[in-house]
């Protein structure tokens, strides 16, 4: 009788470990792929690029940010589960710049 209880207890423990491993694997596989958006921004000097990089680079969901003064563009890679292009656009606008999103390039 004691052996049966011990076996059942061990079996329940092993099954709970397996369920925990499955949950962790599911979390890793459901992670979304980063997306990229390009904005045309009314930057006019190097200080503008630094201001945008420092402010937007720390926003939730932003993975990478490149401000190009010559092209007057800001390219942002982001996690779509944490932010959206509209939110990023509004953040840049709040810094005092005119912002328009470049249309996505078709393949």
């Amino acid at each position: 009788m004691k052996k049966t209880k011990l076996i059942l207890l061990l079996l329940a423990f092993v099954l709970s470990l397996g369920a925990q491993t499955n949950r962790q694997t599911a979390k890793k596989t459901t992670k979304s792929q980063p997306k990229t958006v390009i904005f045309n921004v009314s930057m006019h000097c190097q200080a503008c690029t630094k201001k945008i990089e420092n402010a937007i680079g720390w926003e939730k969901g932003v993975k990478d940010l490149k401000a190009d003064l010559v092209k007057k563009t800001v390219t942002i890679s982001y996690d779509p589960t944490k932010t959206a292009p509209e939110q990023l656009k509004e953040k840049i606008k709040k810094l005092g710049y005119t912002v328009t999103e470049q249309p996505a390039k078709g393949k």
Side-chain angles (χ1 to χ4, degrees), residues 2-20:
K2 285 186 179 183
K3 283 185 178 181
T4 305
K5 286 182 182 180
L6 183 60
I7 290 171
L8 288 174
L9 183 62
L10 286 173
L11 182 61
F13 178 72
V14 169
L15 289 174
S16 69
L17 285 178
Q20 179 66 22

Side-chain angles (χ1 to χ4, degrees), residues 10-98:
L10 286 173
L11 182 61
F13 178 72
V14 169
L15 289 174
S16 69
L17 285 178
Q20 179 66 22
T21 303
N22 286 342
R23 276 188 243 125
Q24 289 174 349
T25 303
K27 283 182 183 178
K28 289 180 185 176
T29 58
T30 59
K31 201 172 195 179
S32 67
Q33 293 296 320
K35 292 192 177 191
T36 302
V37 64
I38 301 173
F39 295 112
N40 296 318
V41 182
S42 62
M43 301 180 287
H44 62 276
C45 65
Q46 194 63 35
C48 294
T49 62
K50 291 293 179 198
K51 183 178 180 181
I52 292 169
E53 288 172 346
N54 289 336
I56 308 302
W58 294 101
E59 287 297 319
K60 185 177 180 179
V62 173
K63 302 293 182 188
D64 189 35
L65 181 141
K66 290 183 178 65
D68 186 332
L69 181 59
V70 175
K71 294 180 182 177
K72 296 187 183 281
T73 60
V74 176
T75 305
I76 304 173
S77 292
Y78 64 96
D79 180 346
T81 63
K82 296 182 179 177
T83 191
E86 298 81 27
Q87 292 172 321
L88 297 169
K89 183 177 178 178
E90 287 303 313
K91 301 277 183 182
I92 296 171
K93 279 185 177 182
K94 285 183 181 179
L95 295 173
Y97 300 100
T98 303

